[in-house]
């Protein structure tokens, strides 16, 4: 990231050297070309980010049948209806439940894995690449395979349970079981990814801190909790926010986990229907109510912002304030 | 580091070029050079048009036909089609629309070419009257789609499993086992008592829909909505009757609980896990595709309990966004002609909606080798002309989804029948209001 700093145009000629700024073009150049350089991001964000966001909000204020010709303005009606919609709250609980079940173990496992990878291993690069392999596989493929593994009758997991004399579990029509199954595939896919990010941050921690800790008599476990974890805090916050955004937008895994008629419900009683699935169910099949679906999308947006903020607050509180050298240690 | 931006630029350029190529390829337009027009046909399930395309392309050398979506579940197909129509691009030149969804598309007829403007009125006699009328908008001024098939119902069963259970295997004898649905349940109990390792039927939702459409067709003529468009889930005796019969089936432990169209359902076909399935004519193609060649000759077809019934059937429409409307209309006319319907029936089993085709010896004498040489033409075709249509209301699909899900919760033991019925009614009302 530091490379971009070099790209900053020299500011001195314009202000400190009036002789050279005689050309109007040159003055224009120094003043405005930086904006031109950063413009592409904002243009692309405007077209693909801000515009859809605003348009979705506009749609959410209308009674908007996807195929219909008229879209009458209804104001906040979609939102008030949505807040009274039990299926919406049900999907919200599902989403948060799956999020907690998947994210907490995932980040803990990633931290542990990163710590292991940070040691002197043989074929270190090989191991580090190996943890990323699940992340490279297609989500849909993973979800289909897990969907088959967790099948009620022909699934391998229930077969294994049967081998050890346990009753088969209704993975797809039991609320908690389906959350666990979906969390399992999320964790399988993302633990390695987070581990690599944490590993990169771990390697930026100066060795002498550990040496000093060792001289003071700190055990490895104590070093991990008192040196590594506090210094990793900014990175952990970053991972948590990324996991929050991904977790609350969870769609492909639960959608592909279910097959058959109307899989968008996430089971007969909406056992594992997430908010994005609920949004799809309303905006597209079978309701085709675009306005209502857009309102779901906006509430989801608000929810992600809130949960991310809460995450940051909680993590800031944990283990005291961030140390100054920790801030310096990261490049973000 | 200096090399990096340039390399990235190259990568971006490559990606952009690829994207351009891909979009150009997806445009569905003409390929310059050979002067051919490409017509895209969107279908779901099994329509059996492959042979017909070959004939049509041989007769019209300037047309190339590409079909998308064979084997696709209707629930995956319909949102795609709706998005294409809403976006104004992406839909095929000819699109298949299932009867339950046709009502929703008819509410916005501007998305489709009015086939009456293109000489379709002359074809009226080629279709069963109600099938023709189903393709018309409420005011009768626009014809959205030409009828393809209708869904005469039978029961497809596994001869080998019946034999194992000590039941008759000949189709006439099997038909005599179940003149009514209670008899079907009694037979199922005999089958279950024999412990073959298979369930008597695949799942309750398909059976429920079969009973509902049969009951509604024979009595009120409508199911979830009355003909004025009012939601009557809780007051239509047909719905309640179908519900109660299905509850009896579930209660007797006959269902294998395989969710229709799920991966487990497909596996259950392959692993011979159930003995009977409610079988509209188009289902024979689905069974053959799911159960595979290993099960050839193990299946047979018997009469449906109760009296007849109609489930399913589609129309072919031409979206206004098609760039080759004239050619697409000609193709739709060809595929829905008596000849086209006979060809589709022979390939994958959908029963014609054309009286001429139904009378044709190719249909009346047709047998199906996969189903032990069952006289499918006679089984499905008899009474097809006297089928009574069931009226479908504006939010039929959404309401049906809710009610069938309630059936499924009872089947899986999540709800008792009384709770399930309450759910069905409440959720249906909620879905209808959306």
């Amino acid at each position: 990231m530091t490379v971009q700093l070099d790209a900053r145009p020299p500011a001195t000629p314009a202000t400190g050297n009036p002789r050279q700024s005689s050309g109007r073009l040159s003055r224009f150049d120094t003043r405005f070309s930086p904006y031109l350089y950063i413009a592409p991001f904002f243009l692309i964000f405007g077209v693909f980010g801000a515009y859809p966001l605003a348009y979705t909000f506009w749609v959410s204020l209308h009674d908007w049948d996807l195929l219909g010709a008229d879209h009458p303005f209804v104001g906040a009606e979609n939102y008030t209806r949505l807040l009274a919609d039990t299926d919406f709250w049900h999907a919200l609980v599902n989403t948060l439940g799956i999020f907690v079940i998947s994210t907490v173990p995932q980040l803990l496992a990633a931290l542990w894995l990163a710590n292991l990878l940070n040691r002197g291993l043989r074929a270190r690069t090989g191991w580090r690449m190996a943890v990323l392999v699940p992340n490279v596989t297609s989500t849909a493929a993973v979800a289909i395979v897990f969907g088959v593994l967790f099948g009620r009758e022909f699934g391998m997991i229930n077969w294994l349970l049967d081998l050890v004399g346990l009753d088969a579990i209704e993975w797809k029509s039991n609320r908690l079981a389906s959350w666990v199954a979906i969390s399992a595939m999320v964790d399988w896919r993302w633990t390695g990814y987070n581990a690599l990010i944490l590993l990169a941050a771990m390697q930026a921690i100066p060795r002498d801190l550990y040496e000093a800790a060792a001289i003071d008599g700190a055990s490895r476990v104590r070093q991990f909790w008192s040196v590594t974890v506090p210094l990793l805090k900014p990175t952990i916050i970053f991972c948590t926010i990324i996991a929050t955004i991904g977790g609350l937008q969870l769609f492909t895994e639960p959608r592909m986990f279910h097959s058959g008629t109307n899989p968008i419900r996430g089971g007969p009683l909406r056992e594992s229907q997430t908010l994005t699935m609920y949004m799809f169910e309303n905006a597209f099949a079978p309701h085709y109510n675009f306005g209502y679906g857009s309102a779901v999308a906006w509430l989801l947006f608000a929810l992600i912002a809130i949960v991310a903020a809460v995450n940051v607050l909680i993590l800031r509180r944990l283990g005291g304030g961030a140390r100054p050298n920790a801030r310096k240690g990261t490049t973000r | 580091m200096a090399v990096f931006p340039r390399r990235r630029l190259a990568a971006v350029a490559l990606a952009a070029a690829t994207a351009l190529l891909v979009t150009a390829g997806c445009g569905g337009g003409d390929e310059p050079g050979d002067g051919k027009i490409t017509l895209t046909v969107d279908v779901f399930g099994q329509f059996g048009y492959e042979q017909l395309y070959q004939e049509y392309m041989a007769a019209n050398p300037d047309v190339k036909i590409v079909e998308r979506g064979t084997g696709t579940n209707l629930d995956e197909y319909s949102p795609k089609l709706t998005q294409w129509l809403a976006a104004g691009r992406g839909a095929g030149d000819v699109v298949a629309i299932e009867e339950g969804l046709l009502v929703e598309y008819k509410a916005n007829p501007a998305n489709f070419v009015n086939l009456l403007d293109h000489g379709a009125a002359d074809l009226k006699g080629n279709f069963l009257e109600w099938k023709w009328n189903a393709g018309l908008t409420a005011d009768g001024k626009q014809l959205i789609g030409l009828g393809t098939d209708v869904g005469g119902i039978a029961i497809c069963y596994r001869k080998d499993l019946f034999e194992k259970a000590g039941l008759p295997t000949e189709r006439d004898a099997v038909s005599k086992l179940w003149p009514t649905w209670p008899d079907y349940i009694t037979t199922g109990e005999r089958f279950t008592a024999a412990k073959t390792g298979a369930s008597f039927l695949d799942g309750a939702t398909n059976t429920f829909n079969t009973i509902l459409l049969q009951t509604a067709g024979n009595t009120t003529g409508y199911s979830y909505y009355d003909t004025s468009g009012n939601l009557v889930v809780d007051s239509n005796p047909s719905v309640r009757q179908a519900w109660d019969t299905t509850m009896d089936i579930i209660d007797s432990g006959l269902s294998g609980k395989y969710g229709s169209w799920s991966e487990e359902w497909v596996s259950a076909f392959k692993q011979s896990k159930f003995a009977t399935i409610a079988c509209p004519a188009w289902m024979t193609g689905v069974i053959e595709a799911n159960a595979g060649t290993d099960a050839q000759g193990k299946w047979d077809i018997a009469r449906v309990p109760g009296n007849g019934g109609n489930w399913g059937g589609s129309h072919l429409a031409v979206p206004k966004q098609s760039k080759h409307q004239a050619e697409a209309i000609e193709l739709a006319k060809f595929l829905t002609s008596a000849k086209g319907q006979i060809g589709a029936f022979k390939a994958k089993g959908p029963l014609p909606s054309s009286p001429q085709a139904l009378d044709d010896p190719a249909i009346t004498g047709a047998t199906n080798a996969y189903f032990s040489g069952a006289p499918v033409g006679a089984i499905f075709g008899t009474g097809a002309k006297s089928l009574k249509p069931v009226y479908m209301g504006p939010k039929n699909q959404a309401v049906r989804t809710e009610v069938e899900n309630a059936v499924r919760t009872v089947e899986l033991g999540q709800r008792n029948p009384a709770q399930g019925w309450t759910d069905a009614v409440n959720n249906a009302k909620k879905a209808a209001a959306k």
Side-chain angles (χ1 to χ4, degrees):
Chain A
M1 294 305 275
T2 45
V3 189
Q4 283 191 353
L5 294 176
D6 306 336
R8 199 195 313 165
T12 31
T15 48
N17 217 337
R19 215 167 5 118
Q20 281 187 348
S21 63
S22 56
R24 208 190 264 173
L25 192 67
S26 152
R27 201 167 54 220
F28 184 83
D29 179 38
T30 18
R31 257 224 186 138
F32 295 105
S33 49
Y35 295 102
L36 210 64
Y37 295 144
I38 58 165
F41 167 77
F42 287 96
L43 282 178
I44 290 173
F45 173 74
V47 172
F48 294 105
Y51 170 72
L53 210 62
Y55 186 69
T56 306
F57 183 66
W58 174 247
V59 170
S60 75
L61 300 177
H62 294 76
D63 181 7
W64 194 298
D65 184 324
L66 195 56
L67 284 173
D70 305 321
H71 310 302
F73 184 83
V74 293
E77 195 195 303
N78 282 327
Y79 290 95
T80 50
R81 269 176 62 202
L82 190 55
L83 291 175
D85 183 345
T86 47
D87 289 340
F88 170 75
W89 295 107
H90 182 89
L92 178 69
V93 172
N94 284 348
T95 311
L96 291 174
I98 296 172
F99 166 67
V100 170
I101 292 184
S102 66
T103 310
V104 175
Q106 178 189 334
L107 289 181
L108 289 178
L111 201 58
W112 176 69
L113 202 58
N115 195 41
L116 292 185
L117 287 170
N118 201 21
R119 296 186 185 167
L121 290 168
R122 209 174 283 171
R124 212 158 29 171
T125 321
W127 289 109
R128 287 174 185 175
M129 279 167 69
V131 298
L132 199 65
V133 167
N135 197 249
V136 182
T137 42
S138 135
T139 321
V142 173
I144 290 170
V145 170
F146 272 74
V148 173
L149 288 180
F150 284 103
R152 177 173 58 90
E153 190 162 324
F154 309 118
M156 200 172 81
I157 309 276
N158 274 353
W159 176 71
L160 288 174
L161 287 178
D162 189 52
L163 276 189
V164 295
L166 292 171
D167 281 343
I169 294 175
E170 292 271 1
W171 290 107
K172 292 178 189 182
S173 55
N174 176 310
R175 202 172 180 194
L176 199 61
S178 66
W179 290 3
V180 170
I182 289 164
S183 299
M185 63 180 113
V186 174
D187 288 346
W188 184 82
R189 193 150 186 269
W190 289 102
T191 305
Y193 170 85
N194 283 314
L196 279 196
I197 292 179
L198 292 168
L199 174 65
M202 269 182 200
Q203 296 199 319
I205 298 173
R207 290 282 127 199
D208 47 1
L209 286 179
Y210 291 103
E211 279 162 26
I215 289 166
D216 287 348
S219 67
R220 272 202 118 140
V221 177
R222 181 70 201 269
Q223 287 176 26
F224 177 72
W225 288 110
S226 298
V227 179
T228 314
V229 171
L231 292 182
L232 280 183
K233 236 174 60 179
T235 316
I236 294 176
I237 292 177
F238 170 77
C239 286
T240 311
I241 291 175
I242 294 293
T244 307
I245 296 171
L248 295 182
Q249 291 184 342
L250 199 65
F251 180 81
T252 316
E253 285 92 345
R255 162 61 188 80
M256 302 305 290
F257 183 61
H258 296 276
S259 58
T261 347
N262 211 20
I264 204 73
R265 287 172 73 96
L269 286 175
R270 305 172 185 273
E271 284 84 356
S272 47
Q273 185 179 44
T274 60
L275 277 179
T276 40
M277 290 164 83
Y278 190 61
M279 173 180 78
F280 190 95
E281 185 190 351
N282 283 290
F284 303 107
H287 297 301
Y288 300 115
N289 190 336
F290 219 35
Y292 201 66
S294 301
V296 179
W298 259 87
L299 286 191
L300 176 62
F301 178 71
L303 177 77
I304 291 176
I306 292 168
V307 174
V310 169
N311 273 337
V312 172
L313 281 180
I314 292 174
L315 283 168
R316 282 252 169 90
R317 292 278 160 108
L318 285 180
R323 294 165 200 202
N325 59 346
R327 288 247 168 89
K328 226 184 282 168
T330 54
T331 49
R332 285 181 297 108
Chain B
M1 277 317 267
V3 201
F4 182 60
R6 208 179 302 157
R7 231 200 268 161
R8 190 159 60 176
L9 190 70
V12 168
L14 186 68
T18 319
L20 270 178
L21 276 176
V22 169
T23 25
C26 289
D30 327 78
E31 280 106 276
D34 58 3
K36 277 193 182 184
I37 290 170
T38 302
L39 293 179
T40 308
V41 182
D42 286 326
V43 299
F44 55 91
Q46 305 284 343
F47 271 67
Y49 284 158
E50 292 75 11
Q51 185 64 36
L52 294 165
Y53 295 147
Q54 296 304 325
E55 281 179 42
Y56 194 79
M57 286 192 277
N60 300 275
D62 54 334
V63 171
K64 191 179 154 219
I65 303 172
V66 178
E67 186 183 83
R68 300 186 294 196
T70 302
T72 310
N73 179 348
L74 181 62
D75 281 331
E76 286 166 35
Y77 170 81
S78 82
K80 265 195 261 173
L81 177 60
T82 307
Q83 286 165 44
W84 289 327
L85 292 174
R89 61 183 303 161
D93 299 284
V94 177
V95 298
I97 302 179
E98 204 262 348
E99 61 170 13
L101 290 162
L102 188 61
V103 275
E104 284 183 46
Y105 292 121
K106 274 203 295 194
N108 299 289
N111 289 310
F112 299 98
V113 170
N114 184 359
L115 298 169
L116 291 177
D117 294 343
H118 297 86
D122 302 340
L123 304 173
K124 190 167 190 264
N126 293 349
F127 298 91
L128 295 172
E129 195 185 351
W130 61 268
K131 187 76 181 174
W132 172 264
N133 290 339
L136 289 171
T137 50
D139 59 6
K141 285 184 183 146
Q142 180 170 343
L143 185 71
I144 304 272
L146 291 165
T148 58
D149 56 322
V150 296
I153 301 174
I155 295 278
C156 293
Y157 68 99
R158 287 284 301 250
K159 277 198 307 191
D160 53 337
L161 291 175
F162 268 49
E163 191 174 356
K164 228 174 165 182
L167 291 168
T169 56
E170 278 312 304
R171 62 185 76 93
D172 293 333
V174 171
S175 298
K176 283 197 189 104
L177 287 175
W178 51 59
T180 65
W181 287 102
D183 297 323
Y184 175 79
I185 295 174
T186 315
T187 311
E189 284 167 341
R190 276 173 68 192
F191 180 89
T192 312
K195 297 213 187 318
T196 57
S199 313
F200 188 56
L201 71 153
D202 58 331
T205 49
N206 271 357
T207 316
F208 169 74
N209 200 41
T210 303
I211 303 173
L212 172 61
L213 290 172
Q214 177 187 66
T215 318
N218 290 339
T219 55
T220 47
Y222 54 81
S223 57
Y224 300 122
Y225 284 88
D226 67 16
T227 44
S228 335
N230 303 311
L231 187 71
V232 290
V233 175
D234 48 349
S235 59
N236 183 353
S238 306
V239 179
R240 184 70 213 205
Q241 198 185 326
W243 175 273
D244 289 340
T245 310
T246 310
M247 292 304 123
D248 288 344
I249 292 175
I250 293 172
D251 197 40
S252 311
L254 305 185
S255 166
K257 304 180 189 176
Y258 303 105
S260 311
W261 303 94
S262 69
E263 276 143 19
E264 289 203 310
W265 191 63
V266 175
S267 302
F269 271 107
K270 290 212 170 67
Q271 305 196 15
S272 312
K273 283 291 190 180
F274 57 85
T276 66
I277 179 171
C279 204
W282 48 263
M283 187 68 94
T284 56
V286 177
I287 293 173
E288 194 175 336
N290 284 344
T293 44
D294 287 352
Q296 166 134 21
K298 291 180 179 167
W299 284 93
D300 208 328
I301 308 174
R303 268 175 49 87
V304 67
N307 183 17
N310 176 48
W311 172 7
S314 300
H315 287 72
L316 292 186
V318 177
K320 250 194 196 137
Q321 57 184 266
S322 163
K323 290 199 181 75
H324 309 290
Q325 290 181 10
E327 293 84 356
I329 292 164
E330 285 314 306
L331 177 62
K333 283 180 185 170
F334 169 76
L335 293 172
T336 55
S337 66
K339 182 178 182 293
Q341 296 193 15
I342 292 169
F345 176 83
K346 279 188 187 159
K348 296 285 178 191
L351 187 66
S353 63
S354 154
Q356 289 84 347
L358 285 167
D359 285 338
D360 194 287
I363 298 286
T364 53
T367 58
N368 188 327
Y370 190 85
F371 289 84
S372 313
V376 278
I379 292 172
F380 291 113
T382 308
K385 279 193 275 183
S386 56
L387 278 182
K388 288 174 214 103
V390 175
Y391 174 81
M392 308 270 175
K395 286 268 182 184
N396 181 71
Q397 193 66 14
V399 170
R400 181 185 153 191
T401 299
E402 294 299 343
V403 178
E404 288 186 3
N405 261 290
V407 170
R408 184 119 180 95
T409 57
V410 179
E411 177 177 42
L412 290 172
Q414 298 171 298
R415 290 277 188 270
N416 67 37
Q419 291 166 335
W421 177 252
T422 315
D423 274 3
V425 173
N426 291 342
N427 294 342
K429 283 181 179 163
K430 204 173 144 188
K434 263 184 183 163

